[in-house]
Amino acid sequence: MSQHHSDGQDIADLAVVGAGINGLAIARDAAARGLRVVVVDRADAGSGTSSTSSRLIHGGLKYLERYDFTLVHESIRERHLLFRNAPHLVRDYPMLIPFYAGNSRPGALIRLGLAAFDAMAVGRGRGRSRSVSTRRVARQWPHLSTKGLRGAALFHDAQVPWAERLCVELLLDARRLGAQILTHTTVTGLIRDGDRVSGLRTRDNRTGHEREVRARLTVNAAGPWIDQVLDGQISSRRLNGGTKGSHVIVDPFPGAPETCIFFEAASDQRPIFVFPWEGRYLLGSTDLSYDGDLDEVIADDAEIDYLLSETNRIFPSAGLTPDDVLYSVAGIRPLPYTADVTDNAAISRGHTVLDHAPAHPGLLSVIGGKLTTHRALAEDVTDQALKVLGRVPRPCTTRTRPLPGADTSHWPAFRQDFLDSPVLTPAQRRRLLDLYGVRARQVLALAEADPDLLDTVDQESGAIGAEVVLAVREEGAATLGDILLRRTLIGLGGDMGRAAAPRCARIAAPHLGWDEDRIQDELAGYDRELRRFRPRTMQDPAATATSDRRAL
C-alpha cells in the first residue's frame, strides 16, 4: 500500500512532487544516500507521461543529428546499466532503418552516424550496426516497400516492453530504502515561510484529509505539470514546452515485420517506428506542439490517420484503417520551453535542474528528462540537493544497484530454473518472469497460501489472481486502474482488460476494504480512465480482444 506517515512535526529532507519515473528515481537515489524523502502524486505512480512513451531505451542515436554528444554518451551508459540492473525488464531490440530516395537523411549520412554511434558505444553496446543490401531487405523483409529503396542498416537498441513495471520497481526500491510514496494525494499548494519554500500542502483524494508535508528542500518533478505546480505559488518563467506524442496499437497486419522498422515519414520527414510489441504492433509517434489541457491528452483523428498512412506506405499490403486501431496512447513529453521553435525535434531531450534561489530558496524544479536517462537525472538532482542542504557528499549507488526484480546473484540461472518449474504453463511462467523478475516467487507464494489465486483471471495474458493480490498488498495499487493498467498490465491487452475487470475487482476487494458499491464504482471509474485511450472495445461493444487480422 502507499505509505502515509503520521501528522507529526518531523521534517523530511526532500519533498518530491510527482511519482513519475523521474520522481521515483529521485526518491530512490536520495533515500539510498541517507536523505528522508516523501513523494506526492495526485494519481498513481507512473500514470502520466511515464506510461505513454515509445517503450524504447534509446542509446541516443537520434541525438547525434543535433550534435548532442553529451546526451548520446549519457544514453549509451544508462542503457548499458539498465541491461545489467534490470535484465528482466529490458531487452535487446534490433531495428531496421531503410533508406529511400528522397529522404531528408541520405543513407550515407545515416551509415556515418551509425559508425560514430558504434564507436561511442564500444564495450557498452549490444552488437555493431551493419549495412543491409536491397537484395537482403527483399529477402528478409519481403513486405517492406521497395519503391525508391536504396538500402538499409540494422541497428541494435533496447526496449522496455512494460515501462509501467520499471516505475513500480523504482517505487519498491525507494520504499525499501525508506522513502514514503503518497499516491492519489493532490498537492494543493507550496508551504511558504516568507520567500522560502518549506514543503507541500496536500489532500488525500480518497478521504479528503488535508495535511502538510514539511521539508528542508522541495523538488518539483511533475514532468509536463511543473508549471502548474508553481502557478500562483511563486514567480517563475515558463519551464515546460512539452510536445505531444501519440501511438496507436494494432493487431498483426498483412506483411507485419518481425523486426522494428525505423523510417522517415514522407509527409513531414519525422523519424517514426513500427514496433513489434507483445504480440501486437505500436505505430508511433507524433511530435506536435501542444498548449491544451494536460489532463485531457488524447490522440486525435489526424494523428491516427498520419500513423496509419505512413505505415501503409512503408508496408503496401497492410491496408490499415481506423477500425483496426485497438486503442491509442497519447502523452506530453516533459521538454524545456523553447520560444519560437519551428522544429520540435530540435528541442533538447536532456534535463536541467533549476534552483529557484535566491528568489525562492528551498525549491528545485526538474526540467526535461527521458525514460532512458531517469537514473542519471536522479543522480544529478540528489547531487544538487546534497549541496543545497549542506550535507557531506555521499557516493551514488544506483549505478550498480539492481532493481528488486533483478536482485539475484545470477539472473540467467534463476530465469532458467523458474522456466523449468512445473507450476503454471510455460507462457505464464515467462510472463511472470518478464513482469516481476525474481519477485515472481512472491506471486507463487501467494498462490501456495491460497490455491484459488492460481486461477487465470485474464485469458489473453494468462495473468493469475495472485498478481492482483501482490499489486494491492506489496506494490501500492489503490484503484482498479492501478491494478490493471500499471501492475498486472492486463489493461494493455486487446480489450483493455474490460472482461477481466469484474473478477480482478472482487479479488482485490477484501484487501482494499471494498464493498459491492465500491466495486461498482471502481468498474465505472476504470471505464472512465480508459476513455483517453479511445479503445475500440468501448466504441464497438461487439469487438473482441482478438481480431481476424491477428492470424494473417
Side-chain angles (χ1 to χ4, degrees), residues 416-437:
Q416 191 58 52
D417 181 64
F418 191 87
L419 288 174
D420 289 342
S421 67
V423 183
L424 300 174
T425 68
Q428 286 176 310
R429 293 197 295 272
R430 286 193 299 272
R431 168 193 158 76
L432 292 180
L433 279 171
D434 288 346
L435 265 65
Y436 307 100

Side-chain angles (χ1 to χ4, degrees), residues 96-100 111 129-142 144-146 148-154:
L96 184 76
I97 308 174
F99 315 139
Y100 287 94
R111 289 189 180 96
S129 306
R130 62 180 187 270
S131 293
V132 181
S133 67
T134 54
R135 181 177 298 178
R136 185 181 166 199
V137 170
R139 185 172 65 251
Q140 291 192 226
W141 293 272
L144 190 67
S145 175
T146 57
L149 184 66
R150 296 291 185 264
L154 195 62

Side-chain angles (χ1 to χ4, degrees), residues 15-260:
V16 180
V17 184
I21 194 163
N22 290 329
L24 294 168
I26 291 166
R28 177 181 182 240
D29 190 302
R33 291 200 250 180
L35 297 182
R36 297 181 60 187
V37 185
V38 180
V39 181
V40 183
D41 197 296
R42 63 177 178 172
D44 186 23
S47 61
T49 298
S50 302
S51 62
T52 63
S53 75
S54 293
R55 302 179 182 275
L56 290 176
I57 300 299
H58 283 302
L61 175 65
K62 292 193 298 183
Y63 313 128
L64 279 178
E65 186 174 30
R66 305 295 174 184
Y67 305 107
D68 194 342
F69 300 112
T70 299
L71 185 55
V72 176
H73 275 293
E74 182 178 76
S75 299
I76 290 171
R77 181 191 70 213
E78 295 305 309
R79 184 185 67 174
H80 175 68
L81 294 179
L82 279 166
F83 272 125
R84 187 173 67 192
N85 295 330
H88 57 306
L89 295 176
V90 180
R91 63 186 64 165
D92 182 51
Y93 201 64
M95 298 179 182
L96 184 76
I97 308 174
F99 315 139
Y100 287 94
N103 281 175
S104 65
R105 303 162 184 85
L109 181 63
I110 294 175
R111 289 189 180 96
L112 181 62
L114 289 170
F117 182 89
D118 287 342
M120 295 173 72
V122 167
R124 295 179 295 180
R126 305 295 289 188
R128 294 184 65 84
S129 306
R130 62 180 187 270
S131 293
V132 181
S133 67
T134 54
R135 181 177 298 178
R136 185 181 166 199
V137 170
R139 185 172 65 251
Q140 291 192 226
W141 293 272
H143 300 284
L144 190 67
S145 175
T146 57
K147 184 179 180 180
L149 184 66
R150 296 291 185 264
L154 195 62
F155 169 67
H156 287 269
D157 215 359
Q159 185 190 49
V160 53
W162 305 119
E164 296 83 355
R165 293 298 311 176
L166 186 55
C167 291
V168 170
E169 296 223 1
L170 291 171
L171 178 150
L172 292 172
D173 209 28
R175 286 196 328 192
R176 186 162 65 179
L177 291 162
Q180 299 184 57
I181 315 294
L182 310 182
T183 58
H184 300 284
T185 301
T186 298
V187 173
T188 58
L190 303 177
I191 299 173
R192 295 272 302 277
D193 293 323
D195 289 331
R196 172 172 286 277
V197 175
S198 302
L200 307 170
R201 293 187 179 86
T202 70
R203 181 180 62 248
D204 188 304
N205 297 351
R206 293 154 289 189
T207 66
H209 177 65
E210 296 185 352
R211 55 164 294 185
E212 292 186 345
V213 176
R214 289 196 166 265
R216 294 178 175 85
L217 183 63
T218 298
V219 179
N220 178 13
W225 292 269
I226 54 175
D227 289 316
Q228 290 188 5
V229 171
L230 304 178
D231 186 34
Q233 303 292 304
I234 69 166
S235 58
S236 172
R237 61 181 172 85
R238 179 176 175 181
L239 304 179
N240 177 65
T243 62
K244 181 185 180 186
S246 296
H247 303 79
V248 298
I249 291 80
V250 298
D251 280 328
F253 50 86
E258 295 181 1
T259 307
C260 173

Side-chain angles (χ1 to χ4, degrees), residues 8 31 67 94 109 125 158 273 279 339 443 461-462 480 495 498 518 550:
Y67 305 107
L109 181 63
F273 301 86
V443 177
S461 67
L480 187 57
D495 77 336
R498 295 182 78 219
R518 177 61 184 273
R550 288 199 76 186

Side-chain angles (χ1 to χ4, degrees), residues 391-405:
R391 302 294 178 83
V392 175
R394 297 186 62 178
C396 174
T397 61
T398 57
R399 293 193 183 201
T400 56
R401 182 181 177 90
L403 288 174

Side-chain angles (χ1 to χ4, degrees), residues 235-475:
S235 58
S236 172
R237 61 181 172 85
R238 179 176 175 181
L239 304 179
N240 177 65
T243 62
K244 181 185 180 186
S246 296
H247 303 79
V248 298
I249 291 80
V250 298
D251 280 328
F253 50 86
E258 295 181 1
T259 307
C260 173
I261 308 297
F262 182 23
F263 64 100
E264 182 176 297
S267 57
D268 60 3
Q269 289 74 55
R270 173 172 167 72
I272 59 176
F273 301 86
V274 173
F275 303 88
W277 176 64
E278 298 301 311
R280 292 193 165 89
Y281 285 81
L282 265 75
L283 317 178
S285 65
T286 58
D287 190 8
L288 304 175
S289 299
Y290 185 81
D291 288 312
D293 187 342
L294 293 174
D295 299 326
E296 296 292 336
V297 183
I298 298 173
D300 61 36
D301 289 345
E303 290 177 286
I304 292 172
D305 288 344
Y306 163 81
L307 294 171
L308 296 178
S309 175
E310 292 292 347
T311 302
N312 288 336
R313 180 183 63 83
I314 204 82
F315 290 102
S317 60
L320 292 168
T321 73
D323 289 340
D324 292 306
V325 176
L326 296 173
Y327 57 93
S328 56
V329 179
I332 303 299
R333 300 175 181 88
L335 306 180
Y337 175 69
T338 306
D340 302 320
V341 66
T342 57
D343 179 5
N344 288 336
I347 302 174
S348 172
R349 264 54 175 176
H351 63 265
T352 57
V353 185
L354 173 65
D355 189 342
H356 291 272
H360 298 287
L363 176 65
L364 304 178
S365 285
V366 181
I367 307 167
K370 289 170 39 60
L371 186 73
T372 303
T373 56
H374 67 272
R375 192 216 60 81
L377 178 150
E379 182 177 346
D380 290 345
V381 172
T382 304
D383 286 346
Q384 188 155 342
L386 290 170
K387 290 179 182 178
V388 172
L389 293 170
R391 302 294 178 83
V392 175
R394 297 186 62 178
C396 174
T397 61
T398 57
R399 293 193 183 201
T400 56
R401 182 181 177 90
L403 288 174
D407 193 7
T408 177
S409 59
H410 196 267
W411 164 251
F414 176 88
R415 177 179 176 82
Q416 191 58 52
D417 181 64
F418 191 87
L419 288 174
D420 289 342
S421 67
V423 183
L424 300 174
T425 68
Q428 286 176 310
R429 293 197 295 272
R430 286 193 299 272
R431 168 193 158 76
L432 292 180
L433 279 171
D434 288 346
L435 265 65
Y436 307 100
V438 299
R439 297 180 62 252
R441 294 286 191 201
Q442 291 179 246
V443 177
L444 294 186
L446 289 169
E448 288 173 5
D450 181 356
D452 287 344
L453 295 178
L454 273 175
D455 290 346
T456 300
V457 295
D458 177 54
Q459 293 302 318
E460 181 185 330
S461 67
I464 62 174
E467 297 179 60
V468 176
V469 176
L470 185 79
V472 299
R473 284 177 47 176
E474 303 291 338
E475 298 186 337

